[in-house]
Amino acid sequence: MVKCRECGASEYEGVLFCQECGRSLTETVNESTAQLPFSESLLDPDKPSPGQNAAPVLEAHQVTFVIPSSGRRVSVPMQKEIRIGRADPSQSFVPELDLTGDSGAEYGVSRLHAIIQSSRRGVALLDKNSTNGTLLNNYRLPPELPYPLHNGDEVRFGRLLVHIFFE
Amino acid sequence: MSDHPLLNVSLRATRSEIGALDAPQIVYLLLNIQAPEAHQFERMPLNLCLVIDRSTSMRNERMDRVKAAAGLVIDQLTNQDSIALIAFSDRAEVIAPAGPPKNLGALRTAIRGIIPNGGTEIYQGLLAGANELRKLASDRKINQMILLTDGHTYGDATKCIELAEKLVKENIGLSAFGIGHEWNDQFLDQLVAPSGGQSAYIERPGEILRNLQIRIQGLEAHYAQNVSLALQFPAGVEIRNAFKLSPFVQPLVIQPTQIKLGAVERHTPLTALLEFVIQPQLPGRKMQIPLTLKASIPSQVLSEHEFKLVYELAVTLEEPALDPPLELVAAVQAYNLYNINEKVWEDVESGHVDSAIIRLRRLTTRLLESGQTELAEQAYAETELLSRMGSLSLEGRKRLKYGTRSLMARTVKLGNHG
């Protein structure tokens, strides 16, 4: 039997994708699922990645983070700044999106890893010079530069995958 | 590839070796059946019957579009074809009896006269349609009933399926289109399964004509029909899932002795994804898995002609090689997404809402990862609805079901381009 590394389900040898969560079960088959063979992205490699197809988010009252590895979903009211990282009790620091419980340390999430800024120009993501960096739709963000966000964007804080939705 | 003069059949498998394990193993096969390129094609006459739901819910744009589509379909037919029109609600009415489309004016007048009113009893419509088709049915024609409905049938679903099973023995196929989102998708899948026909979702009335035209063009291009795969495998080998990917995407029903695959069109291959379970085998063995197909080719006056090929699978003590072709991986992946979505609905129906929410979240993630933003947004919206209300929207269910199904069709295109 093969065990899914994401959800722990057991499948027969030869099953290519976990029937519970859809994750690839074979090393040779698309470890990076961002380029699944049937996706439009692969058929047209120049097409921007998923979230960039939509218009940038200009205004939102709530942002929801979906963390596939832990199955957690966190909704945070939109504010001027939403901090993303890991809590540090010794400094009384608790970011609005605290990824400690999502194995943030193992995935390489810094204490203050990134922030989401809301301004008149829209909603943007900014890497706070984190140790392991931030990837927005597989594009590594230069530190301290705001990048506009889109509904459904895929972000990796270190190696931790998070999907971002706006309402 | 096995080249038969009348049909080209080929196979692709995820593996040619399995390990000598003490647990079952899975192998996926992509079966491709194609009309030979050089073959001289003869268009078979169509013997068609449109069975139109005229229940009250069909009024306004839906019925207007159905009428317009029916009129244009009749225009496409030749005098060698025949057409019958049935309208039904809680009873059926023969709008035009089976015959060649000679008097177009009378047919158009008959179509214009359909007035929506009443409930939905599909069996009444199908039975009247069957009786009309039988009048002119022949093995040298493509005999097909096309159902257009927007609602649930009440109390007669079993009778409908029994009739569809009877019709296939009379060489009459059935396709069904659900308009809007209030019809029963599982029922329509079951209804078309005996003949390997198509059931499809028409979300907006504006799409009726296109769907109907594509279906009729497909029927006109029929080269081989009543294609079936015999389930005669060595001990310890069985198919646990089967899905047609081309010429249209359709779940296939595994019957006790065969799988009805449908028809091979002139330029479009019939492609099916087969999931085999192989029980533990002794090492060193080279398994021979026969795939026996039967098909009728009306232009060659061939009925139930047999085509055979063999899939070889070695059982090894070494780590088995795994290098699946890209289009097969893509097809399995898309099939997997479709299945995850189906399980969401099963969970909801059996009251396991928490489990359904988890599945939908996972589906959302996978859809996003694969670039299917629109479907992912729908899955996300349904997750929210499920969390708040404990149920899914009918519209969302249809969009996700047929949206994930359509991903499988794209994988065939990927293979063709490659």
Side-chain angles (χ1 to χ4, degrees):
Chain A
M1 303 291 276
V2 187
K3 201 161 191 173
C4 174
R5 280 178 290 166
E6 187 161 316
C7 72
S10 288
E11 301 281 4
Y12 289 149
E13 288 283 341
V15 171
L16 299 182
F17 296 92
C18 174
Q19 297 180 69
E20 288 299 311
C21 73
R23 187 194 162 102
S24 168
L25 296 176
T26 57
E27 294 295 331
T28 52
V29 181
N30 284 300
E31 191 59 21
S32 166
T33 47
Q35 290 192 350
L36 295 181
F38 68 80
S39 77
E40 288 173 2
S41 317
L42 188 77
L43 293 173
D44 180 2
D46 295 331
K47 199 167 180 178
S49 48
Q52 291 172 348
N53 290 334
V57 175
L58 296 176
E59 206 174 3
H61 66 270
Q62 181 173 277
V63 53
T64 298
F65 302 94
V66 179
I67 305 142
S69 58
S70 63
R72 202 161 69 99
R73 194 185 56 183
V74 186
S75 292
V76 179
M78 198 67 222
Q79 46 203 282
K80 203 174 170 190
E81 268 191 15
I82 295 174
R83 294 167 301 174
I84 298 157
R86 288 186 293 116
D88 182 357
S90 66
Q91 304 287 320
S92 301
F93 172 71
V94 183
E96 283 73 28
L97 177 64
D98 180 6
L99 297 169
T100 310
D102 306 287
S103 306
E106 287 87 335
Y107 281 106
V109 178
S110 299
R111 285 181 173 75
L112 178 59
H113 195 109
I115 58 170
I116 291 178
Q117 289 179 333
S118 177
S119 69
R120 277 182 305 168
R121 294 169 60 195
V123 180
L125 178 68
L126 189 148
D127 179 81
K128 291 299 286 180
N129 211 4
S130 63
T131 309
N132 294 301
T134 302
L135 271 73
L136 172 59
N137 299 318
N138 285 336
Y139 174 76
R140 185 173 290 279
L141 300 185
E144 301 289 354
L145 278 176
Y147 275 74
L149 282 170
H150 309 72
N151 200 30
D153 269 341
E154 177 187 295
V155 181
R156 283 181 198 271
F157 301 108
R159 286 180 294 108
L160 183 62
L161 175 65
V162 177
H163 295 294
I164 303 181
F165 298 91
F166 295 92
E167 281 174 47
Chain B
M1 178 179 283
S2 162
D3 284 319
H4 299 275
L6 294 168
L7 220 47
N8 293 332
V9 188
S10 64
L11 272 182
R12 282 172 173 244
T14 46
R15 54 212 305 206
S16 55
E17 293 179 340
I18 56 167
L21 305 179
D22 56 5
Q25 296 177 70
I26 300 297
V27 177
Y28 301 95
L29 257 64
L30 209 54
L31 175 64
N32 202 66
I33 310 167
Q34 222 161 346
E37 269 304 311
H39 201 275
Q40 197 176 358
F41 178 74
E42 181 192 343
R43 179 194 183 274
M44 303 301 295
L46 301 183
N47 177 29
L48 278 186
C49 179
L50 295 184
V51 178
I52 298 166
D53 182 347
R54 65 167 184 89
S55 59
T56 309
S57 56
M58 285 287 288
R59 66 180 180 267
N60 300 330
E61 194 188 357
R62 281 183 190 171
M63 184 52 81
D64 293 344
R65 296 277 190 171
V66 167
K67 286 179 179 178
L72 287 165
V73 162
I74 289 166
D75 285 344
Q76 284 177 13
L77 301 178
T78 70
N79 280 340
Q80 279 68 53
D81 300 323
S82 57
I83 178 83
L85 296 166
I86 306 291
F88 72 95
S89 52
D90 29 31
R91 63 189 180 84
E93 190 185 345
V94 179
I95 297 295
K102 281 181 180 160
N103 192 342
L104 292 176
L107 283 168
R108 287 202 190 97
T109 306
I111 292 168
R112 274 199 300 273
I114 302 174
I115 295 168
N117 188 28
T120 306
E121 285 188 32
I122 293 178
Y123 179 71
Q124 299 295 334
L126 295 184
L127 185 63
N131 289 337
E132 288 306 313
L133 280 172
R134 282 167 174 150
K135 289 179 187 170
L136 297 172
S138 122
D139 288 347
R140 293 275 298 156
K141 290 180 181 172
I142 309 298
N143 309 295
Q144 183 86 189
M145 179 142 51
I146 299 178
L147 170 69
L148 291 151
T149 182
D150 75 341
H152 281 252
T153 193
Y154 292 101
D156 59 1
T158 310
K159 280 163 79 179
C160 293
I161 293 160
E162 285 169 359
L163 178 61
E165 283 164 355
K166 236 184 249 176
L167 290 177
V168 79
K169 290 177 189 144
E170 299 170 47
N171 200 20
I172 297 174
L174 215 160
S175 296
F177 293 95
I179 304 165
H181 51 263
E182 282 169 7
W183 47 279
N184 183 338
D185 46 272
Q186 284 166 332
F187 166 66
L188 289 199
D189 277 349
Q190 287 172 343
L191 189 63
V192 302
S195 64
Q198 180 183 17
S199 69
Y201 169 39
I202 301 180
E203 186 175 358
R204 287 174 285 274
E207 298 164 357
I208 293 170
L209 174 63
R210 190 176 58 88
N211 277 275
L212 209 51
Q213 276 180 322
I214 290 172
R215 184 68 191 123
I216 288 168
Q217 281 162 8
L219 292 171
E220 286 176 328
H222 269 201
Y223 168 74
Q225 52 185 14
N226 297 332
V227 183
S228 63
L229 171 67
L231 302 180
Q232 296 161 337
F233 304 124
V237 176
E238 63 170 348
I239 294 180
R240 74 170 180 184
N241 284 304
F243 221 100
K244 181 152 75 175
L245 310 182
S246 169
F248 47 82
V249 189
Q250 192 71 34
L252 295 168
V253 174
I254 301 168
Q255 296 173 354
T257 59
Q258 63 178 349
I259 298 175
K260 293 272 192 184
L261 298 172
V264 179
E265 295 174 9
R266 187 184 175 194
H267 293 302
T268 314
L270 192 168
T271 309
L273 175 67
L274 308 171
E275 185 182 21
F276 278 82
V277 182
I278 316 285
Q279 296 300 327
Q281 302 289 328
L282 292 172
R285 197 178 158 203
K286 197 143 202 167
M287 300 178 71
Q288 305 262 324
I289 302 175
L291 291 153
T292 307
L293 297 158
K294 275 186 186 169
S296 299
I297 306 178
S299 59
Q300 302 300 308
V301 203
L302 278 178
S303 181
E304 301 210 338
H305 194 76
E306 246 182 38
F307 300 88
K308 286 189 177 183
L309 71 161
V310 173
Y311 164 53
E312 287 191 346
L313 189 62
V315 186
T316 171
L317 279 170
E318 315 287 317
E319 180 83 15
L322 181 65
D323 187 19
L326 183 68
E327 73 266 31
L328 182 47
V329 175
V332 174
Q333 185 178 26
Y335 175 64
N336 199 51
L337 292 178
Y338 170 79
N339 266 340
I340 292 173
N341 182 60
E342 287 295 279
K343 285 180 192 166
V344 169
W345 189 249
E346 286 168 22
D347 280 342
V348 171
E349 283 191 328
S350 54
H352 301 132
V353 172
D354 289 347
S355 168
I357 291 170
I358 291 169
R359 280 192 212 282
L360 259 180
R361 282 185 187 146
R362 288 169 172 168
L363 181 65
T364 306
T365 304
R366 298 295 166 226
L367 290 168
L368 273 173
E369 285 172 347
S370 55
Q372 305 300 327
T373 317
E374 206 174 309
L375 276 177
E377 281 172 1
Q378 186 72 53
Y380 179 72
E382 292 301 316
T383 314
E384 290 292 288
L385 193 64
L386 199 53
S387 307
R388 284 201 314 268
M389 314 290 287
S391 64
L392 300 167
S393 73
L394 288 173
E395 189 182 6
R397 165 162 168 73
K398 293 284 188 307
R399 280 187 184 157
L400 285 175
K401 176 171 184 148
Y402 291 91
T404 50
R405 252 191 206 185
S406 74
L407 297 179
M408 281 187 261
R410 292 192 199 181
T411 66
V412 177
K413 285 178 196 152
L414 185 71
N416 290 344
H417 291 311

